[in-house]
């Protein structure tokens, strides 16, 4: 499985992805699921992938190929993030259709994608793209999307993250969401990749990698566990009425 | 959907269930999913249900009917918790088979059950019973089972619950697991039913109900949210290295 989380906040965008893939429990590998595209001063695009690995890699392959072959419509020629979402959605839909015409079987090849970024003076955007090629867009009311094993890490995002959360606090909150997921589900695993984009910077930040030895993640992971247990102990115990 | 959680601890058993059922999003109802059977001084049996409501209610109906008709084998005649699990499993399997012979279609009628309790001098036990009628048993290594929407509430159990946790702390931890689930998934809803059985007491505690107005649950819910945000703020923010 996979866990990817994309945040579209007032100050900018945060993307965090794990890297574990598995075909059964005896074939576990590390694959990147966060891809960065862009040209400084012009555009920044990040894509996160979840689902069938052959499908996601082929989608990324096509998107890169379109750029290399200088096709009319590619990630570097489209004019807006909306057009980026359309291009990625169309590409994804085609990749799945290429594998099988049997619509019932198609779900075996499904994947979901998060696509975020900024082009020129346009707004920053974050899209959740479905296997059918259609998509929804993050808003201040719903400032984050998750794909893959999303449930373990959702409660902390629901409680602590808002559109106005600063980027550094959002990264911290997102990493705790990952820590919760890593602890409860072995199909999500380190290392993590993340990227942070500050609104209107039009830089192309490289994805950074958090490995087992990352000092900050170790702090988060150990402190958070200790604090949860401490907080739990501070909550009054149920009275006798509840226990008899 | 549903969320039920059963704990088999050193001191005894804890069962917590929500009560929300839904057929689509426009048909939401309240149904009990925690059933208590027993005879004081002799046996205590609790059953939690998740999945197709017609199936689970029919299973409970059969189990009650077996008792009323004084059939040779019923919940009040079997000699051990293992035999209880076998009886419930066999009953469940038969209920599903009665609805359809098409094994592919059967999964539409699936449900999962947790069954725990104690008979006479036997050990306390907790079983997770699958739609096929087979089952697994909780142990000190794995002292809890969840059925239904289990993922949101799993991280706190994984971090804070062990076999040695006292019953009052276990109830507190379990209710926080429910609070996390309630916040992040509308298909799980109040009121909650819970029951606590102290090992070797051979009492038959009634299930208690936690409604929206329950004072203790309100305390848990509001304090826990505040403490999570407070704890989050105590964790150092990522350094500039992470943000650029």
């Amino acid at each position: 499985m996979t866990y990817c989380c994309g945040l579209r906040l007032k100050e900018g965008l945060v993307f965090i992805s794990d890297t574990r893939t598995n075909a059964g429990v005896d074939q576990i590998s590390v694959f990147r699921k966060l891809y960065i595209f862009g040209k400084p001063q012009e555009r920044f695009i990040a894509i996160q992938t979840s689902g069938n690995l052959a499908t996601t890699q082929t989608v990324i392959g096509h998107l890169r190929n379109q750029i290399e072959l200088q096709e009319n419509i590619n990630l570097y020629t489209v004019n807006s993030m909306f057009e980026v979402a359309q291009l990625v959605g169309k590409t994804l839909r085609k990749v799945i259709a290429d594998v099988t015409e049997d619509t019932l079987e198609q779900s075996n090849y499904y994947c979901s994608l998060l696509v975020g970024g900024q082009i020129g003076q346009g707004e920053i955007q974050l899209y959740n793209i479905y296997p059918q090629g259609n998509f929804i867009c993050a808003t201040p009311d719903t400032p984050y999307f998750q794909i893959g094993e999303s449930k373990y890490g959702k409660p902390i995002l629901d409680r602590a993250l808002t559109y106005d959360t600063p980027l550094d606090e959002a990264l911290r909150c997102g990493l705790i969401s990952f820590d919760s997921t890593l602890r409860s589900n072995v199909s999500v695993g380190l290392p993590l990749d993340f990227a942070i984009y500050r609104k209107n910077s039009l830089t192309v930040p490289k994805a950074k990698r958090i490995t087992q030895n990352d000092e900050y993640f170790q702090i988060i992971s150990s402190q958070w566990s200790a604090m949860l247990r401490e907080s739990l102990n501070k909550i009054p115990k149920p009275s006798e009425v509840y226990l008899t």
Side-chain angles (χ1 to χ4, degrees), chain A residues 43 45 73 75 78-90 115-119 122-127 129 133-137:
Chain A
R43 67 184 64 209
I45 299 163
I73 299 178
L75 286 182
V78 294
N79 300 304
S80 66
M81 284 307 298
F82 181 77
E83 287 180 24
V84 168
Q86 283 188 305
L87 174 59
V88 174
K90 225 172 88 182
V115 179
Q118 184 173 29
I119 294 181
E123 274 204 60
I124 55 169
Q125 296 290 1
L126 175 67
Y127 295 97
I129 298 184
N134 58 347
F135 46 83
I136 59 172
C137 178

Side-chain angles (χ1 to χ4, degrees), chain A residues 45-61:
Chain A
I45 299 163
I47 302 179
Q48 295 175 288
T49 64
S50 152
N52 185 294
L53 184 64
T55 301
T56 62
Q57 288 194 340
T58 307
V59 169
I60 299 296

Side-chain angles (χ1 to χ4, degrees), chain A residues 156-204:
Chain A
I156 187 65
L157 297 175
D158 283 341
R159 289 179 204 259
L161 192 91
T162 70
Y163 181 64
D164 296 316
T165 306
L167 289 179
D168 54 351
E169 291 179 24
L171 176 61
R172 182 177 64 182
C173 183
L175 290 178
I176 286 172
S177 168
F178 270 79
D179 184 55
S180 300
T181 311
L182 292 167
R183 295 236 168 178
S184 290
N185 190 315
V186 292
S187 77
V188 177
L190 290 172
L192 308 178
D193 292 322
F194 74 95
I196 290 183
Y197 175 78
R198 198 166 285 278
K199 191 160 82 175
N200 298 332
S201 66
L202 289 177
T203 53
V204 183

Side-chain angles (χ1 to χ4, degrees), chain A residues 5 11 70 102 149 157 183 218 235:
Chain A
C5 182
E11 290 186 359
Q70 301 188 309
D102 179 338
E149 275 293 353
L157 297 175
R183 295 236 168 178
Q218 283 180 353
I235 289 184

Side-chain angles (χ1 to χ4, degrees), chain A residues 176-240:
Chain A
I176 286 172
S177 168
F178 270 79
D179 184 55
S180 300
T181 311
L182 292 167
R183 295 236 168 178
S184 290
N185 190 315
V186 292
S187 77
V188 177
L190 290 172
L192 308 178
D193 292 322
F194 74 95
I196 290 183
Y197 175 78
R198 198 166 285 278
K199 191 160 82 175
N200 298 332
S201 66
L202 289 177
T203 53
V204 183
K206 278 192 186 146
K208 294 196 170 66
R209 181 154 283 197
I210 291 179
T211 63
Q212 204 114 34
N213 304 319
D214 185 88
E215 248 181 73
Y216 182 62
F217 194 71
Q218 283 180 353
I219 290 174
I220 280 193
S221 189
S222 61
Q223 284 197 7
W224 184 246
S225 260
M227 279 176 178
L228 280 187
R229 278 190 289 265
E230 209 178 288
S231 299
L232 197 61
N233 285 329
K234 277 189 208 153
I235 289 184
K237 291 181 194 175
S239 67
E240 271 306 307

Side-chain angles (χ1 to χ4, degrees), chain A residues 8-157:
Chain A
R8 175 183 177 269
L9 308 170
K10 203 171 161 187
E11 290 186 359
L13 299 161
V14 178
F15 306 89
I16 317 177
S17 297
D18 87 316
T19 55
R20 183 161 295 175
T21 65
N22 64 300
V25 289
D26 56 352
Q27 198 177 337
I28 289 174
S29 317
V30 172
F31 280 98
R32 176 172 289 275
K33 302 170 196 171
L34 170 59
Y35 300 88
I36 307 281
F37 296 83
K39 292 182 173 177
Q41 316 305 328
E42 187 196 300
R43 67 184 64 209
F44 164 76
I45 299 163
I47 302 179
Q48 295 175 288
T49 64
S50 152
N52 185 294
L53 184 64
T55 301
T56 62
Q57 288 194 340
T58 307
V59 169
I60 299 296
H62 276 295
L63 293 170
R64 284 182 176 150
N65 213 35
Q66 292 158 3
I67 295 171
E68 274 168 34
L69 298 180
Q70 301 188 309
E71 288 185 14
N72 281 341
I73 299 178
N74 70 53
L75 286 182
Y76 290 169
T77 62
V78 294
N79 300 304
S80 66
M81 284 307 298
F82 181 77
E83 287 180 24
V84 168
Q86 283 188 305
L87 174 59
V88 174
K90 225 172 88 182
T91 306
L92 170 55
R93 190 187 165 94
K94 191 176 172 310
V95 167
I96 294 173
D98 282 352
V99 188
T100 170
E101 279 163 17
D102 179 338
T103 47
L104 263 180
E105 252 199 25
Q106 286 193 345
S107 63
N108 295 330
Y109 304 96
Y110 274 4
C111 78
S112 293
L113 304 172
L114 299 184
V115 179
Q118 184 173 29
I119 294 181
Q121 305 303 311
E123 274 204 60
I124 55 169
Q125 296 290 1
L126 175 67
Y127 295 97
N128 188 346
I129 298 184
Y130 300 112
Q132 292 76 10
N134 58 347
F135 46 83
I136 59 172
C137 178
T139 66
D141 287 328
T142 303
Y144 73 87
F145 289 137
Q146 303 168 294
I147 51 177
E149 275 293 353
S150 59
K151 296 184 181 182
Y152 306 99
K154 190 168 187 290
I156 187 65
L157 297 175

